[in-house]
Amino acid sequence: MFERARKGLRQQLGTQMMSVATVALALFCMAGALLVLENAGAMVRRWGAPVKVTVFLAEGATVDQVDSLRRALAALPEVEEARYVSAAEARQSLSAGGDRTVATAPVELFPATIELRLVPSAVSAERVASVALRVRRIPMVSEVETYRGFTERLRGLLVGGRAAAGVIALGVLLCVFAVVSNTVRMSLAARLREIEVLRLVGATRSYIRGPFLIEGAMLGGAGRSWR
Amino acid sequence: MGRSRVSNNFRPHFRPDGHFDSAAAHKPILVLENVMKVFRADAPVLRGVDLTIERGEFVFVTGPSGAGKSTLLKLIYKAETVDEGRILFCGRDIARLTEDSVPHLRRNIGVVFQDFRLVPYWTVFENVAVALQVMGLPPRVIRSRVAVALERVGLDGRGDEKVSVLSGGEQQRVTIARAIVTEPAVVLADEPTGNLDPVLALDILGLFEEINEGGTTVIFATHDRTLLEVSPRRLVVIDDGRCIEARAGLAGLGGVLDHGISIN
């Protein structure tokens, strides 16, 4: 049986190699499509959730009050980092593009803030809204910006992108299935006469199948060692 | 060209366990009882064929194209199954054979086709030897028996050639060698001369007659009237799904064959 498998491989080497290469290429395409889908999912998780919250401080808050508030906010499990941004730093940051009007504006126009960077993918929009509501009740806080509108639009965009990637991946998957199926059929069609003759002269099913199974195992083994 | 005689022992061992059935040696090689085969309900191919073929007979089966000659042969080697009736091969109803027994039935039947059915990328030797390899015979025995079969069909010393480079007549000889190398009980020939010129056709017919002289039953389906005229054998005509018998060849049929049979 091994001898017949070896002979079959030798006689149909070109067809066999072409089949293996086609199947490998098809599987490579499928892996690429699945990778795109997986990355689209990761992007939704990473960028579709709130990542930043700005706490605007009321005028007259003392340094000690601000520092204790910053430490309290930094201790929240959803918060990765809480950074105090003074009015002067806010003006400097906004005028970094060279806008002289902003750079010369009175510093009182720029409220001091505490910028919260949230733990990626650990915070839901609802949880952030709940935290913002509670922080807003603190007397030294004038406003809390959660960028919810922007986050929701970005999330919508990413979910749409993921759905498109899913449709493309499904299409690629169907193509891969068709290619693999046709390749196997073509490879088998080249051997149909051989199978027909074997059946005609009284070969049993196991006698016919055996070498094909061994050939498949040999090709699979060769492909694995090549990888 | 010297042809060596091969003993033609009748060995009906188409049981999976390979046991010899001694009772089968005393029964007609083939009995068809009221055999019906229908592919389309409105046009049955065979509608009640009754036929008995004794061991060692040479029988021509003829009839117009589409009459059911090939179907009849396919039923015998179980490429098709009967819809009604029975086919007894050495006394056994082949319709009742299990899937596992069918290969063993086919080892007792050699089949020759018009289109040869050879594997083009195999050598002459490999195409003939395959019939013995499936039986699990040792390589030494296979080499010797293939050599004898190739000598009988006039292809001695050509075993290493690829069949794809052979002429049509030579390819048909390879097919015949494959059919007889197992020393089968019966050889079925389905229009074996259909792709050959008249001279080669007579040559191939002569080969089948030699095989028959060795004791092998030969059932030869053809619609070539020339062959029927040169060889006055038992003739079975399939017409309208039924068999008409003529023990003395064409002469025994009168005008029955005046339509549908070609003259080469």
Side-chain angles (χ1 to χ4, degrees), chain A residues 47-52 125 146-158:
Chain A
W47 300 108
V51 290
K52 185 183 170 188
T146 59
Y147 307 100
R148 187 169 182 167
F150 169 76
T151 306
E152 280 179 355
R153 279 199 300 279
L154 182 64
R155 184 181 172 80
L157 203 65
L158 290 171

CSV table of all heavy atoms in Angstrom, one decimal, chain A residues 47-52 125 146-158:
chain,number,residue,atom,x,y,z
A,47,TRP,N,-11.2,51.4,21.1
A,47,TRP,CA,-11.6,52.8,20.8
A,47,TRP,C,-13.1,53.1,20.9
A,47,TRP,O,-13.5,54.2,20.9
A,47,TRP,CB,-11.1,53.2,19.4
A,47,TRP,CG,-9.7,53.1,19.2
A,47,TRP,CD1,-9.0,52.1,18.5
A,47,TRP,CD2,-8.7,53.9,19.8
A,47,TRP,NE1,-7.6,52.3,18.6
A,47,TRP,CE2,-7.4,53.4,19.4
A,47,TRP,CE3,-8.7,55.0,20.6
A,47,TRP,CZ2,-6.2,54.0,19.8
A,47,TRP,CZ3,-7.5,55.6,21.0
A,47,TRP,CH2,-6.3,55.1,20.6
A,48,GLY,N,-13.9,52.0,21.0
A,48,GLY,CA,-15.3,52.2,21.0
A,48,GLY,C,-15.8,52.5,22.5
A,48,GLY,O,-16.9,53.0,22.7
A,49,ALA,N,-14.9,52.3,23.4
A,49,ALA,CA,-15.3,52.6,24.8
A,49,ALA,C,-14.7,54.0,25.2
A,49,ALA,O,-13.7,54.4,24.6
A,49,ALA,CB,-14.8,51.5,25.7
A,50,PRO,N,-15.3,54.7,26.3
A,50,PRO,CA,-14.7,56.0,26.7
A,50,PRO,C,-13.3,55.8,27.1
A,50,PRO,O,-13.0,54.8,27.8
A,50,PRO,CB,-15.6,56.4,27.8
A,50,PRO,CG,-16.8,55.4,27.8
A,50,PRO,CD,-16.4,54.2,27.1
A,51,VAL,N,-12.4,56.7,26.8
A,51,VAL,CA,-11.0,56.6,27.2
A,51,VAL,C,-10.6,57.8,28.0
A,51,VAL,O,-9.5,57.8,28.6
A,51,VAL,CB,-10.1,56.4,26.0
A,51,VAL,CG1,-10.3,55.0,25.4
A,51,VAL,CG2,-10.3,57.5,24.9
A,52,LYS,N,-11.4,58.9,27.9
A,52,LYS,CA,-10.9,60.1,28.5
A,52,LYS,C,-12.1,60.9,29.1
A,52,LYS,O,-13.2,60.9,28.5
A,52,LYS,CB,-10.2,61.0,27.5
A,52,LYS,CG,-9.6,62.3,28.0
A,52,LYS,CD,-9.0,63.1,26.8
A,52,LYS,CE,-8.6,64.4,27.3
A,52,LYS,NZ,-8.2,65.3,26.2
A,125,ALA,N,-19.7,52.8,28.8
A,125,ALA,CA,-20.2,54.2,28.7
A,125,ALA,C,-21.2,54.5,29.9
A,125,ALA,O,-21.2,55.6,30.4
A,125,ALA,CB,-20.9,54.4,27.4
A,146,THR,N,-17.5,63.9,29.3
A,146,THR,CA,-17.2,62.5,29.1
A,146,THR,C,-17.0,62.2,27.6
A,146,THR,O,-16.7,61.1,27.2
A,146,THR,CB,-18.3,61.6,29.6
A,146,THR,OG1,-19.5,62.0,28.9
A,146,THR,CG2,-18.5,61.8,31.1
A,147,TYR,N,-17.2,63.2,26.7
A,147,TYR,CA,-17.0,63.0,25.3
A,147,TYR,C,-17.9,61.9,24.7
A,147,TYR,O,-17.5,61.1,23.8
A,147,TYR,CB,-15.5,62.7,24.9
A,147,TYR,CG,-14.6,63.7,25.5
A,147,TYR,CD1,-13.8,63.5,26.6
A,147,TYR,CD2,-14.4,65.0,24.9
A,147,TYR,CE1,-13.0,64.4,27.2
A,147,TYR,CE2,-13.5,65.9,25.4
A,147,TYR,CZ,-12.8,65.6,26.6
A,147,TYR,OH,-12.0,66.6,27.1
A,148,ARG,N,-19.0,61.7,25.3
A,148,ARG,CA,-19.9,60.6,25.0
A,148,ARG,C,-20.3,60.6,23.5
A,148,ARG,O,-20.3,59.6,22.9
A,148,ARG,CB,-21.1,60.6,25.9
A,148,ARG,CG,-22.0,59.4,25.7
A,148,ARG,CD,-23.0,59.3,26.8
A,148,ARG,NE,-23.8,58.0,26.6
A,148,ARG,CZ,-24.6,57.5,27.5
A,148,ARG,NH1,-24.8,58.1,28.6
A,148,ARG,NH2,-25.2,56.4,27.2
A,149,GLY,N,-20.7,61.8,23.1
A,149,GLY,CA,-21.2,61.9,21.7
A,149,GLY,C,-20.1,61.4,20.7
A,149,GLY,O,-20.4,60.6,19.8
A,150,PHE,N,-18.8,61.9,20.9
A,150,PHE,CA,-17.7,61.5,20.0
A,150,PHE,C,-17.5,60.0,20.1
A,150,PHE,O,-17.3,59.3,19.1
A,150,PHE,CB,-16.5,62.3,20.4
A,150,PHE,CG,-15.2,61.8,19.8
A,150,PHE,CD1,-15.0,62.1,18.4
A,150,PHE,CD2,-14.3,61.1,20.5
A,150,PHE,CE1,-13.8,61.7,17.8
A,150,PHE,CE2,-13.2,60.6,19.8
A,150,PHE,CZ,-12.9,60.9,18.5
A,151,THR,N,-17.5,59.5,21.4
A,151,THR,CA,-17.2,58.1,21.6
A,151,THR,C,-18.2,57.2,20.9
A,151,THR,O,-17.9,56.2,20.2
A,151,THR,CB,-17.2,57.8,23.1
A,151,THR,OG1,-16.3,58.6,23.7
A,151,THR,CG2,-16.8,56.3,23.3
A,152,GLU,N,-19.5,57.7,21.0
A,152,GLU,CA,-20.6,56.9,20.4
A,152,GLU,C,-20.5,56.9,18.9
A,152,GLU,O,-20.7,55.9,18.2
A,152,GLU,CB,-22.0,57.4,20.9
A,152,GLU,CG,-22.3,56.8,22.3
A,152,GLU,CD,-23.6,57.3,22.8
A,152,GLU,OE1,-24.2,58.2,22.1
A,152,GLU,OE2,-24.0,56.9,23.9
A,153,ARG,N,-20.2,58.0,18.3
A,153,ARG,CA,-20.0,58.1,16.8
A,153,ARG,C,-18.8,57.2,16.4
A,153,ARG,O,-18.9,56.5,15.4
A,153,ARG,CB,-19.8,59.5,16.4
A,153,ARG,CG,-21.1,60.3,16.3
A,153,ARG,CD,-20.9,61.6,15.4
A,153,ARG,NE,-19.9,62.5,16.0
A,153,ARG,CZ,-20.1,63.4,17.0
A,153,ARG,NH1,-21.3,63.5,17.5
A,153,ARG,NH2,-19.1,64.1,17.4
A,154,LEU,N,-17.7,57.3,17.1
A,154,LEU,CA,-16.6,56.5,16.8
A,154,LEU,C,-16.9,55.0,16.9
A,154,LEU,O,-16.5,54.2,16.0
A,154,LEU,CB,-15.4,56.8,17.7
A,154,LEU,CG,-14.1,56.1,17.4
A,154,LEU,CD1,-13.5,56.5,16.0
A,154,LEU,CD2,-13.0,56.4,18.5
A,155,ARG,N,-17.6,54.7,18.0
A,155,ARG,CA,-18.0,53.3,18.2
A,155,ARG,C,-18.9,52.8,17.0
A,155,ARG,O,-18.7,51.7,16.5
A,155,ARG,CB,-18.7,53.1,19.5
A,155,ARG,CG,-19.1,51.7,19.8
A,155,ARG,CD,-19.8,51.6,21.2
A,155,ARG,NE,-20.3,50.2,21.4
A,155,ARG,CZ,-19.5,49.2,21.8
A,155,ARG,NH1,-18.2,49.5,22.1
A,155,ARG,NH2,-20.0,48.0,21.9
A,156,GLY,N,-19.9,53.6,16.6
A,156,GLY,CA,-20.8,53.3,15.5
A,156,GLY,C,-20.0,53.0,14.3
A,156,GLY,O,-20.2,52.0,13.5
A,157,LEU,N,-19.0,53.9,14.0
A,157,LEU,CA,-18.1,53.7,12.8
A,157,LEU,C,-17.3,52.4,12.9
A,157,LEU,O,-17.3,51.6,11.9
A,157,LEU,CB,-17.1,54.9,12.8
A,157,LEU,CG,-16.5,55.3,11.5
A,157,LEU,CD1,-17.6,55.8,10.5
A,157,LEU,CD2,-15.5,56.4,11.6
A,158,LEU,N,-16.8,52.1,14.1
A,158,LEU,CA,-16.0,50.9,14.2
A,158,LEU,C,-16.8,49.6,14.1
A,158,LEU,O,-16.4,48.7,13.5
A,158,LEU,CB,-15.2,50.9,15.6
A,158,LEU,CG,-14.1,52.0,15.7
A,158,LEU,CD1,-13.6,52.1,17.1
A,158,LEU,CD2,-13.0,51.6,14.7
